[in-house]
């Protein structure tokens, strides 16, 4: 057993609960495949050395007071990885329940998670506290908060599946703020049924914790899923987002912004899968890297055979704000159908000296000029947030960072 496995799996016993079969599968696959290293293609730019050097992860931290959000909605608060909200507190049209163990066992996790590259998903399956399922009908706003407090040095594994029923409309604000030096390993599944619509806003701020999240989204006929992510960085952050367009007329969009500084390391892997034809997708992702930070973006478009009349576009633009910062960019197209349109573009650069000179000549200080240039570049993905109060709130957080 590797040192990292000994840290994250101090005991290999599987609890004798209703999820025993699924937990056992997760543990077996994790022991079989092991954790990734930089020889693993999907992790070639991201080392787990920070996590390996930490002591046994067994210390929970202090509780965190929840912030004031810009919209009213049902709050699902995962504090130290444990859901604090009660099912009885939900609004009409929302139903929260423990996930059916047989439904979990029926999933083909080998096809979903793969081998060593999916180690943290296998770890989540082996170690989650409780698997939750949220069903949404009608129109709702849900705030899903994940927090850890000072002194946190534990390994926690929240797991939730969100089912947006036919014709429903969901605004999902996911606000993640971690402290301490532990591991937060989240697994989230979202199923967008026929005619449903989801606006997903994901905000992350991880400080010294290690944050790993996997989000799998299935989009069905005439359904629309949009996600806007604002990642403020962390000591080590990894997010895998897979968006699968399962039926004709499904539509998906990804807009992302990462702002890093210091020694932060942020790794985003996205995949858009066109399973059938007559589907549309779009992705725009931006990174600003300062200090000695390292950013990784791997964006992949996969169009199946016979998925004719699929349309997809991927664009990533990145700014290096210091000589020590690095950004590793890898756009991918994997296309097995001829009657499609798909494109990708990638740029890496620095702030334009001429623009900076122009702003200085108009009376702005260098600090003000730099902040405005960075804000103008960074704000564009966040402008895609559909809810005006949430958009203004997120843009305000961006101004604080810059």
């Amino acid at each position: 057993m590797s040192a990292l496995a000994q840290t994250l799996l101090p005991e290999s016993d599987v609890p004798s609960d209703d999820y025993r079969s699924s937990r056992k599968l997760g543990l077996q696959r994790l022991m079989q495949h092991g954790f990734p290293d930089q020889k693993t293609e999907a992790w070639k730019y991201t080392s787990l050395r920070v996590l390996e050097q930490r002591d046994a992860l067994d210390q929970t931290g202090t509780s965190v007071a929840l912030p004031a959000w810009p919209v009213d909605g049902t709050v699902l608060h995962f504090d130290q990885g444990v859901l604090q909200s009660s099912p009885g507190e939900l609004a009409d049209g929302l139903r929260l329940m423990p996930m059916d163990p047989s439904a979990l066992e029926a999933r083909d996790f080998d096809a979903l998670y793969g081998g060593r590259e999916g180690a943290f998903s296998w770890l989540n399956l082996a170690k989650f506290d409780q698997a939750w399922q949220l069903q949404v009908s009608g129109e709702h706003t849900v705030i899903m908060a994940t927090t850890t407090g000072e002194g946190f040095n534990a390994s926690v594994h929240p797991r939730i599946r969100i089912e947006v029923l036919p014709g429903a409309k969901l605004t999902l604000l996911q606000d993640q703020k971690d402290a301490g030096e532990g591991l937060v390993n989240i697994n989230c599944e979202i199923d967008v049924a026929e005619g449903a619509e989801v606006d997903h806003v994901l905000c992350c701020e991880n400080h010294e914790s290690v944050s790993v999240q996997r989000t799998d989204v299935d989009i069905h006929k005439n359904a629309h899923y949009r996600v806007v992510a604002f990642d403020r960085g962390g000591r080590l952050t990894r997010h895998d987002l897979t968006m699968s367009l399962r039926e004709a007329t499904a539509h998906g969009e990804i807009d992302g912004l990462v702002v890093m500084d210091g020694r932060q390391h942020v790794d985003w892997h996205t995949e858009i899968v066109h399973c059938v034809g007559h589907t549309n997708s779009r992705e725009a992702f931006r990174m600003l890297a300062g200090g000695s930070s390292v950013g990784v973006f791997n964006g992949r478009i996969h169009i199946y055979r016979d998925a004719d009349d699929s349309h997809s576009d991927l664009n990533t633009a990145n700014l290096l704000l210091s000589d020590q910062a690095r950004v590793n960019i890898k756009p991918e197209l994997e296309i097995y159908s001829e009657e499609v349109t798909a494109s990708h573009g990638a740029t890496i650069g620095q702030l334009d000296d001429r623009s900076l000179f122009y702003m200085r000549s108009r009376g702005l200080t260098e600090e003000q000029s730099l902040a405005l240039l960075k804000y103008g570049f960074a704000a564009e993905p966040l402008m895609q947030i559909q809810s005006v109060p949430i958009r203004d709130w997120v843009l305000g957080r961006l101004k604080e960072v810059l």
Side-chain angles (χ1 to χ4, degrees):
M1 181 185 293
S2 67
L4 184 57
Q6 290 177 341
T7 299
L8 297 177
L9 296 167
E11 56 184 34
S12 57
D13 293 337
V14 178
S16 298
D17 59 12
D18 293 340
Y19 300 107
R20 179 177 175 80
S21 178
S22 296
R23 295 183 193 277
K24 188 175 180 180
L25 174 65
L27 183 61
Q28 287 175 342
R29 293 296 186 266
L30 186 59
M31 292 300 186
Q32 175 185 347
H33 300 300
F35 284 93
D37 54 31
Q38 290 183 279
K39 295 181 181 179
T40 307
E41 179 63 25
W43 289 79
K44 65 184 297 183
Y45 298 115
T46 299
S47 168
L48 296 175
R49 189 175 300 110
V50 170
L51 193 56
E52 292 170 347
Q53 292 173 346
R54 295 188 172 174
D55 297 330
L57 301 178
D58 57 6
Q59 182 65 46
T60 57
T62 58
S63 296
V64 176
L66 293 177
W69 289 292
V71 291
D72 293 327
T74 299
V75 178
L76 303 179
H77 179 204
F78 289 88
D79 182 28
Q80 320 286 337
V82 179
L83 182 63
Q84 303 299 306
S85 302
S86 167
E89 299 171 354
L90 298 180
D92 292 340
L94 296 177
R95 185 182 177 204
L96 180 68
M97 67 205 90
M99 190 179 295
D100 185 352
S102 61
L104 199 60
E105 292 171 16
R107 299 296 304 277
D108 185 359
F109 287 114
D110 287 299
L112 188 62
Y113 296 160
R116 177 172 293 192
E117 66 278 3
F120 285 92
S121 298
W122 291 120
L123 177 64
N124 180 285
L125 188 63
K127 301 291 287 182
F128 66 84
D129 175 72
Q130 172 68 62
W132 293 98
Q133 180 174 332
L134 176 69
Q135 290 184 343
V136 181
S137 61
E139 184 172 346
H140 294 278
T141 297
V142 173
I143 301 168
M144 190 163 69
T146 306
T147 60
T148 62
E150 294 296 331
F152 172 73
N153 184 30
S155 170
V156 297
H157 310 274
R159 187 178 193 92
I160 187 168
R161 176 177 173 83
I162 300 174
E163 296 182 349
V164 187
L165 301 181
K169 184 175 182 179
L170 171 66
T171 298
L172 175 64
L173 173 57
Q174 188 177 354
D175 193 14
Q176 181 180 336
K177 184 173 290 188
D178 301 323
E181 296 185 350
L183 167 67
V184 180
N185 179 26
I186 303 172
N187 185 287
C188 180
E189 298 178 357
I190 303 175
D191 188 82
V192 190
E194 180 178 349
E197 185 174 348
V198 176
D199 288 310
H200 183 186
V201 180
L202 171 60
C203 295
C204 311
E205 185 177 358
N206 298 309
H207 299 291
E208 290 297 314
S209 66
V210 175
S211 174
V212 181
Q213 178 164 341
R214 181 187 182 97
T215 304
D216 292 290
V217 183
D218 288 329
I219 310 169
H220 299 278
K221 182 178 180 180
N222 289 328
H224 198 143
Y225 171 82
R226 306 182 199 90
V227 59
V228 179
F230 177 29
D231 193 330
R232 296 174 63 176
R235 188 65 185 89
L236 176 59
T237 299
R238 167 75 179 228
H239 199 130
D240 288 88
L241 170 61
T242 299
M243 188 171 69
S244 300
L245 293 88
R246 299 289 183 182
E247 296 181 77
T249 65
H251 188 99
E253 299 179 30
I254 301 172
D255 288 279
L257 171 66
V258 175
V259 180
M260 300 170 288
D261 206 349
R263 299 180 302 152
Q264 294 181 332
H265 186 112
V266 179
D267 183 343
W268 273 79
H269 273 59
T270 68
E271 183 176 19
I272 299 173
V273 184
H274 290 255
C275 303
V276 299
H278 301 278
T279 50
N280 293 273
S281 68
R282 180 192 62 80
E283 178 172 9
F285 210 97
R286 295 191 171 191
M287 286 188 169
L288 286 82
S292 58
S293 62
V294 177
V296 182
F297 173 72
N298 193 119
R300 182 168 179 256
I301 297 172
H302 183 185
I303 300 180
Y304 279 19
R305 189 179 303 279
D306 298 325
D308 293 334
D309 198 27
S310 294
H311 306 280
S312 188
D313 178 68
L314 166 65
N315 183 274
T316 176
N318 308 273
L319 277 181
L320 298 177
L321 304 177
S322 75
D323 294 336
Q324 294 77 38
R326 301 200 317 273
V327 175
N328 302 287
I329 303 300
K330 186 183 179 185
E332 300 180 33
L333 297 180
E334 187 172 345
I335 301 172
Y336 298 97
S337 184
E338 294 183 359
E339 300 298 325
V340 302
T341 58
S343 63
H344 67 72
T347 60
I348 300 176
Q350 297 176 316
L351 290 173
D352 185 9
D353 290 337
R354 291 173 298 178
S355 298
L356 181 61
F357 175 79
Y358 174 82
M359 300 181 76
R360 293 293 307 276
S361 70
R362 293 301 184 269
L364 297 178
T365 66
E366 182 176 1
E367 183 179 22
Q368 291 171 330
S369 300
L370 288 171
L372 283 173
L373 287 173
K374 289 187 288 185
Y375 180 83
F377 176 84
E380 185 172 335
L382 305 184
M383 295 300 294
Q384 303 304 316
I385 297 174
Q386 300 296 301
S387 167
V388 175
I390 296 178
R391 183 198 310 152
D392 292 342
W393 178 72
V394 175
L395 288 172
R397 294 178 71 166
L398 174 62
K399 291 177 182 178
E400 292 175 4
V401 175
L402 300 180

